[in-house]
Structures are given as C-alpha cells and as structure tokens.
Amino acid sequence: MDLLTSILLLIVTSVLYFYWSLKKAHRFFEDRGIPYLEPHWLFGNMGDVIMMKKSLGEKYAEFYNKLAPHGFGGIFTMKKPAIVIRDPDLIRHVLIKDFAFFTDRGINIVKEIDPLSNSLFSMKGDEWKNLRIKLTSTFTSGKMKMMFPLVKHCGERLSQIIDEVPDNETFDVKDLFARFTTDTIGNCAFGIETNSLNNPDSEFRIMGKKIFSYRLAAVIRTLWPTMPKTLIKMFNLTFFDKHTQEYFIDIVDKTIKYREKNNITRNDFLDLLIALKNNTTLQKFKVSSAENEDLQKFLQQTGGKCVKSDVDMTNDLLAAQAFVFFTAGFEATSIALGFAFLELSLNKSIQDRARQEILDVLSSNDGKLTYEALKQMTYVDMIIDETLRKYPSAARLPRVTNKNYAIPNTKVIIPAHTSIIISVYGLHSDEKYYDNPNEFRPERFTEEEKAKRPNFAYLPFGDGPRVCIAERFAKMQVKVGLVHALKNFSYQKSPKMKFPIEFNKSFGLLSPKDPILLQKIKL
C-alpha cells in the first residue's frame, strides 16, 4: 500500500468515525424516549448562537417554545446533549426538592490561570456549600441596611448628573446607569470611590467594560462549560483576560491589607469578607435572627448540617467573590434600570404613578430617603419585578446532573453529567402564565395576581440553594437608582433611538444591542 493510499484511507476512516460518533451522540434522546429538536450534523441546535445571529437567552427561549407542550425536551450544543426543562413543577424538583442531584452549574474552574472564576457562582460540591454557608450572613436585610448609605450617596450623585442634562437633549440612559452601578459596586465591593458618574472614562469603568467585551476564549468556555481542564490550561482559555484579573486582584489585596493595618471599617461587602477571613464575624457584626433564618433555610434545602467550614479564605478567594459581585451587580443592574426607564418612557401613566408614590413616601418621611422609606414604595417594586420578567438579564439557569436522575412521573432516566437548562426568558414570555407577555404591566405583581401563577414561573434570580445570593442588594440598588432618577424628572423616548429594540447577540446577559436613548424633562 503506497503512502497516498494510506493517507486517503486514514482520512476516509476519520471522517466515517466522526460521522458515526455524531450519529451515536444524536441518538441520545431517541434511545431514552425524550422529545428533542433535530440537530445540525455539526453545530447541533446552536448554529444561530455560534454564528451570532441570536443571543443564548433568545435561543433557549426558542427551544422552550418549540418543545411545547412537553414538560422537558432535548437539544444539542454541538454534539453534547442538554435537556431544557419547561414545567414549573419539574423546575421546582431541579432547583429545590431534588437539589442533591443538581448541585452544580457544570463550570470547570482552573484556579491557576483563572483565579477570579473561583467564585461562589462557579464552585462545585462541598467547596461551594462551605463557602455559601460562610457568605450567608453577608446579604441579609440587616447588612443591606448597613450598605444603604453608600448606595444612596451614589443615587444622589446620579440625580445631580441627570439634572445637568439639558431638557429634551438625547442621552444614553443605559450608559448613565452603568456608571451609577459601577460606582455603587466599586464602593460596596472594593471600598473605593470609582467616580464613574463624573468621569465616564475612569479606569475602573474601562476595566468594567473589558469584562463583557468579546473574547473568543470566553465564548468557547461559555458554549463548552465542561471543557476538560487539560485543554483549558493547554490553550490558556480564561473567562477573563490576564490584565483584568491582575487589576482586580491587586485592588482587593491592597485594600484588605490597608484596612487590616489601619483598623478601618466602612460597613461594606469587603468588610464582611475580611471579617469572615479573620473569623471575627460575631465580634465585628451582630448576628441577626434574619441571618439565622437564611442559614436554616439554606441547610433545610440542601439537607445538610452547619459544620465548620474548611474554606481557606485567602485574599485571592476574597477577590473572586468581590469580582463576581461586581460583574453581576454593575452590568445586570444597569441593564434592568435601562429597560425600566425605556418602559416608563413608553408608558406615561405608569411613570407618573411611580413618581407620585415616590413623592408621597418621601413626604411622609420628612423628605428623606431611608432604608425603611424605600421598602414602602410597593408600586416601584412592581415596576422592577415586571422589568425583570420582560427582560431577565440572566435569561437561562444552567445545572448539571451529578448522578442518574429519574424524572418524576415518567420512566425517563437522565444520566449523570447531563446538562440541564431552564429558560427564564421562555418562562417569563409564556402566555400560559402571563397574558399578552409583550405588554409592560406592573399590576401582574400584586399579591392577588402572583397567587394565580405557579411559584416557579418567575425566576429572575433563580431559586433554591443556588439562588443569587445578592438578590436583596441588586433590588436595593435598582430601586435607589430608579427613585433618584425619577422623582424630579420625566422621560420620553428619543426619536433618535432605534426601536423596537433588538437584543445583543452575545453569549452572556440578555442586553440591548443599541443604546437606550431618552429625553429628560425637568418637572
């Protein structure tokens, strides 16, 4: 056999093997009697995402709709099978009742090259649980009240900046709110005055933008979250570029050392992390009954006991927690605020009612915005809830089975290590739960209306033990921003804005593709 024949034979054999392996993989659902969407031979069902025609959030909502009326069904990310869960009761099983089967998000962490990925969001198993127990006390209502003055200070500066914008002049509210949330998170998570509201080109703001800029390595890791660690190391496929990681790690390290040396306390998130590191939580911060309730709820859902954690609270680990708090807090929150004000600009009656509630509550509290006064603004709460329904920035919730799982009331067994996806955007847009879902209607979130829906048809922060731990902070931050931006000003959509909006064809959060351009009218 000559060399050319051998080469041709090798090529043909390789192609046939590749084709056979794909066909075998694509029989995954058929062999188990699971309804599924027919895949492309190479891209599976993710061609539109890979070609950047649709965002991940939009694509999974499309899967959600195409798999109706089934409670669950299969899709393929390349040749890897994943199951999209549609039924709220099954979602309850995945997130809470049968949580022991779905403890992880399935993200492989390589601390050596990606130290900032070693956060509560990505951790697995006992390591995650131990750190989660430690961090339970950091986001209780009592801790939110401690951090409230820092957020309020940024809200007051936001109002001043808006006041300086000439009436009827077009401006990008999404960018403005991103500067506001950058300042609040910089203050609370890193203990520094980032000054982004005054200076849009501040170093901290620029570094924040870099986190969400397109990087091929991050895209690959997002589409292939269970990629073997050997390949991640071999090709240096980090979620965040090296310079960004070094920048944030250095800030946290220097701030911690400075505070410890000078015995400085600011009542912020970093203070709480330092206290956990030094095991001084009880001495430095009073433990409230709410903290104990949060911890007991978590332990009840995980079926575990409160044991002494062996997590080594190094400065790098603290930096990773502060960093994930920052990335989630500044981007997702600014997106929510941008969409909220877009809807308010399109719905004047809603905007006027919200402003009147704000003014009424402030009037009854001597004109002062306090933490308690903020809680009295119930219609503003409904606006925020409706914004997060229509535009959930975390448009999907990933999980992975850690052992074989029998789907309740079926004969289907899901093998261990199978990816599970809950389409939050799909749920929130389902006419079965929300009539005329494209309409912005805050009244969907009165207590009476909420009682009519299944509990797990609304999941902007997830649910169960892996619910977003900073949910209280995120809502407080959005609410403070909304109050300060709305109480003295009226808004209308700018004729320069591209409308209807399109979503960014990204692999991350569900966000607007183009600027949200409004015009301000001083009252």
Side-chain angles (χ1 to χ4, degrees):
M1 185 181 296
D2 59 30
L3 180 60
L4 180 59
T5 304
S6 298
I7 293 173
L8 288 174
L9 183 61
L10 179 62
I11 292 173
V12 171
T13 303
S14 299
V15 170
L16 289 174
Y17 176 77
F18 180 69
Y19 179 78
W20 172 82
S21 67
L22 279 176
K23 283 296 183 181
K24 182 181 178 181
H26 288 170
R27 288 200 303 268
F28 179 90
F29 297 115
E30 187 176 342
D31 292 345
R32 291 168 174 80
I34 299 174
Y36 68 99
L37 301 180
E38 194 66 35
H40 182 273
W41 70 273
L42 179 60
F43 298 134
N45 300 104
M46 304 301 289
D48 286 346
V49 177
I50 293 170
M51 302 303 292
M52 299 189 73
K53 294 180 180 179
K54 290 184 179 178
S55 67
L56 272 177
E58 290 175 289
K59 194 62 183 177
Y60 276 107
E62 179 184 302
F63 297 153
Y64 176 96
N65 292 325
K66 285 185 176 180
L67 287 167
H70 305 290
F72 59 92
I75 57 101
F76 292 90
T77 57
M78 308 296 277
K79 73 172 187 177
K80 184 174 176 59
I83 295 178
V84 177
I85 304 294
R86 301 183 71 258
D87 176 61
D89 189 57
L90 183 53
I91 291 172
R92 177 177 65 91
H93 278 269
V94 170
L95 296 183
I96 296 181
K97 191 170 183 180
D98 297 328
F99 177 75
F101 292 85
F102 306 96
T103 58
D104 302 330
R105 289 191 169 98
I107 302 170
N108 278 338
I109 303 170
V110 182
K111 297 180 234 182
E112 299 86 351
I113 66 169
D114 228 353
L116 291 185
S117 293
N118 189 31
S119 69
L120 193 66
F121 179 84
S122 305
M123 282 181 171
K124 300 178 180 180
D126 289 341
E127 187 178 24
W128 162 77
K129 184 176 180 180
N130 285 336
L131 183 60
R132 178 62 172 77
I133 289 172
K134 273 183 169 287
L135 293 177
T136 296
S137 65
T138 59
F139 289 103
T140 60
S141 55
K143 299 302 190 298
M144 295 305 97
K145 191 172 182 179
M146 286 169 50
M147 288 189 242
F148 175 75
L150 297 173
V151 180
K152 179 186 172 185
H153 172 72
C154 295
E156 291 167 348
R157 184 60 191 140
L158 170 67
S159 182
Q160 293 170 5
I161 294 294
I162 295 174
D163 190 44
E164 294 169 5
V165 176
D167 286 357
N168 298 313
E169 181 174 305
T170 295
F171 70 108
D172 182 358
V173 294
K174 167 64 171 60
D175 178 71
L176 178 63
F177 287 130
R179 287 152 53 195
F180 160 70
T181 56
T182 296
D183 282 353
T184 57
I185 298 293
N187 247 308
C188 294
F190 294 90
I192 59 175
E193 293 280 352
T194 60
N195 204 31
S196 298
L197 277 167
N198 290 335
N199 179 16
D201 298 319
S202 68
E203 184 180 22
F204 206 85
R205 174 74 181 120
I206 291 171
M207 296 305 293
K209 287 181 178 179
K210 285 184 67 176
I211 296 169
F212 291 93
S213 61
Y214 179 89
R215 291 181 63 251
L216 181 59
V219 171
I220 294 171
R221 291 286 300 279
T222 301
L223 289 176
W224 191 2
T226 57
M227 173 182 286
K229 294 183 179 181
T230 51
L231 289 180
I232 295 173
K233 289 181 180 179
M234 183 184 301
F235 295 103
N236 195 34
L237 297 174
T238 61
F239 275 114
F240 311 105
D241 71 82
K242 185 178 179 181
H243 177 59
T244 302
Q245 300 210 48
E246 289 175 347
Y247 176 81
F248 285 102
I249 289 172
D250 185 58
I251 285 177
V252 172
D253 187 62
K254 287 180 178 177
T255 305
I256 289 175
K257 289 177 179 176
Y258 180 78
R259 290 193 190 184
E260 289 179 332
K261 180 180 178 181
N262 297 280
N263 196 28
I264 292 174
T265 300
R266 294 182 78 247
N267 291 332
D268 58 12
F269 180 56
L270 197 56
D271 265 359
L272 297 169
L273 291 179
I274 294 171
L276 291 175
K277 172 191 172 186
N278 297 325
N279 293 315
T280 58
T281 309
L282 294 179
Q283 291 82 357
K284 197 170 186 180
F285 300 103
K286 182 179 178 181
V287 178
S288 66
S289 59
E291 289 179 23
N292 288 327
E293 289 172 9
D294 284 356
L295 179 57
Q296 292 307 314
K297 180 181 178 181
F298 173 78
L299 293 172
Q300 183 181 21
Q301 290 179 339
T302 56
K305 297 179 180 179
C306 186
V307 295
K308 185 177 180 181
S309 171
D310 58 356
V311 177
D312 186 11
M313 300 293 286
T314 64
N315 282 6
D316 277 2
L317 184 65
L318 299 190
Q321 311 322 309
F323 182 74
V324 74
F325 181 32
F326 172 69
T327 55
F330 103 82
E331 183 68 3
T333 309
S334 64
I335 290 171
L337 278 165
F339 280 133
F341 273 82
L342 171 62
E343 290 292 346
L344 291 175
S345 73
L346 299 172
N347 297 277
K348 190 174 185 304
S349 61
I350 296 174
Q351 181 183 160
D352 291 345
R353 180 178 169 184
R355 185 183 303 104
Q356 192 59 53
E357 180 185 66
I358 292 168
L359 295 175
D360 288 346
V361 170
L362 290 176
S363 177
S364 63
N365 287 273
D366 298 323
K368 297 177 182 178
L369 181 63
T370 63
Y371 186 71
E372 288 73 20
L374 198 70
K375 293 169 69 174
Q376 296 170 24
M377 300 176 186
T378 54
Y379 189 67
V380 173
D381 283 328
M382 289 191 282
I383 288 173
I384 294 170
D385 288 341
E386 175 69 345
T387 301
L388 295 175
R389 178 201 66 82
K390 191 173 179 181
Y391 308 101
S393 56
R396 65 190 182 98
L397 301 175
R399 296 291 187 270
V400 65
T401 54
N402 53 35
K403 47 191 170 183
N404 292 350
Y405 178 70
I407 295 182
N409 304 315
T410 75
K411 296 180 180 180
V412 175
I413 305 294
I414 301 177
H417 314 302
T418 302
S419 294
I420 305 294
I421 303 293
I422 298 167
S423 173
V424 177
Y425 188 36
L427 273 170
H428 289 190
S429 304
D430 194 332
E431 292 185 350
K432 186 176 180 180
Y433 312 118
Y434 303 96
D435 64 293
N436 194 9
N438 290 327
E439 178 187 0
F440 187 82
R441 195 167 73 243
E443 289 76 14
R444 298 181 200 272
F445 290 91
T446 62
E447 292 304 317
E448 294 78 12
E449 287 297 311
K450 287 192 290 185
K452 297 177 183 178
R453 290 191 295 271
N455 289 334
F456 290 82
Y458 183 68
L459 297 167
F461 296 96
D463 208 327
R466 294 208 80 139
V467 67
C468 174
I469 194 173
E471 177 179 351
R472 286 190 182 104
F473 182 88
K475 286 184 174 180
M476 178 177 73
Q477 188 184 22
V478 171
K479 202 169 181 181
V480 169
L482 194 150
V483 167
H484 280 94
L486 187 59
K487 64 177 181 177
N488 295 323
F489 312 103
S490 178
Y491 299 88
Q492 61 188 19
K493 182 176 68 68
S494 169
K496 296 180 181 179
M497 180 176 171
K498 186 176 180 180
F499 192 81
I501 63 165
E502 294 181 29
F503 292 119
N504 201 1
K505 306 302 185 286
S506 70
F507 298 85
L509 301 175
L510 194 68
S511 61
K513 176 184 176 184
D514 300 301
I516 296 178
L517 302 177
L518 303 185
Q519 293 172 326
K520 179 213 77 177
I521 304 171
K522 189 172 182 179
L523 298 173

